[in-house]
Amino acid sequence: MHRPKRPLLLALVALGLTAGTGVPVAMREQGYWVDKPYPASALASRFTLSDAMRLRPGQFRWAAYDDPAPVSIAIDLTNQRAFVFQGQALVGIAAISSGRRGHGTPTGTFPILEKARFHRSNIYSSAPMPFMQRLTWGGIALHAGYNPGRPASHGCIRLPYGFARILFQATRVGGTVVVMRAPPLAAPSPIIEAPDLQMTAADPAHTAPLSPGRQIAVMSTDKTIAYVTATML
């Protein structure tokens, strides 16, 4: 009597367990299926550093998860690239244009101090800065702008327009941005995790007027953070 080969038998059993879905029933019952969210630990990077290096000026890629994991940003000045992480997963990459010679973009770790969908420069002839995310009170910010594939700005980090719009929606005031001269090896560590943590980069003397819908982070007299959203003015 001929007996079926064991690999074939195992394959038939596996097919029955998955019920034609490709996902074992036991895993579906634990939440690993499309009708339930994946746990944060299951998030994997959508892109690699090599994917980022292949981008041409003005190009970007975005594939974030529908997940509440915090978003952080790393800027590589040497290769003129932006990397966006959701938790530890790399979900966004873009070509950028940073500060040219004489107007270099500073390196370091910065919180997002302010966000404004429509903003004009207070320093350079009211130049438009769509989807502005301020990193310093001295004029350094992320925003949409001309992206020639080389440093060309007055210090800001210019992003492709579509990428800047998506990123603006994904971040929050207090989010972490690391600016360095190399590709990131991992997601940046958050520098502000709760409203009562100190924001050393903020300027307590900052008194710029707020427009409707603008979000801003300020340092109070007891050196804690207060988040203010302008609803009037």
Side-chain angles (χ1 to χ4, degrees):
M1 180 178 178
H2 177 70
R3 295 182 179 179
K5 293 183 179 180
R6 185 174 296 274
L8 177 60
L9 179 61
L10 293 176
L12 291 174
V13 171
L15 182 61
L17 289 175
T18 61
T21 65
V23 179
V25 173
M27 292 185 67
R28 296 208 308 273
E29 291 175 349
Q30 296 174 20
Y32 292 85
W33 188 229
V34 294
D35 58 350
K36 294 182 180 179
Y38 280 76
S41 60
L43 301 186
S45 291
R46 305 286 203 179
F47 309 111
T48 66
L49 296 181
S50 296
D51 293 329
M53 298 309 164
R54 285 194 289 267
L55 295 174
R56 292 196 285 266
Q59 290 186 331
F60 69 92
R61 297 180 67 183
W62 182 272
Y65 289 92
D66 184 14
D67 186 88
V71 170
S72 58
I73 305 166
I75 302 296
D76 174 5
L77 297 179
T78 298
N79 295 291
Q80 295 288 282
R81 294 291 184 271
F83 301 85
V84 180
F85 293 87
Q86 190 175 21
Q88 294 296 316
L90 180 59
V91 298
I93 51 179
I96 68 159
S97 180
S98 62
R100 64 177 183 259
R101 180 171 296 184
H103 297 276
T105 303
T107 58
T109 301
F110 307 90
I112 297 174
L113 299 173
E114 179 186 9
K115 296 178 64 174
R117 189 176 297 272
F118 305 104
H119 180 74
R120 287 188 175 274
S121 173
N122 299 321
I123 303 173
Y124 298 106
S125 303
S126 296
M129 300 168 63
F131 304 107
M132 185 276 292
Q133 303 192 59
R134 186 185 299 279
L135 303 184
T136 75
W137 297 123
I140 305 300
L142 302 164
H143 65 84
Y146 177 52
N147 201 295
R150 65 181 187 278
S153 77
H154 284 93
C156 284
I157 299 164
R158 296 179 187 165
L159 307 171
Y161 189 91
F163 185 81
R165 176 176 54 82
I166 296 171
L167 185 63
F168 187 90
Q169 297 171 343
T171 60
R172 61 179 178 82
V173 170
T176 303
V177 180
V178 174
V179 182
M180 52 188 162
R181 300 191 182 280
L185 299 178
S189 300
I191 55 177
I192 298 176
E193 298 178 347
D196 60 349
L197 296 182
Q198 183 176 358
M199 182 188 291
T200 57
D203 180 0
H206 181 71
T207 56
L210 298 178
S211 57
R214 175 172 295 186
Q215 295 180 339
I216 186 170
V218 297
M219 182 178 289
S220 65
T221 55
D222 60 354
K223 298 188 183 302
T224 60
I225 301 307
Y227 295 102
V228 179
T229 300
T231 56
M232 301 180 66
L233 297 179

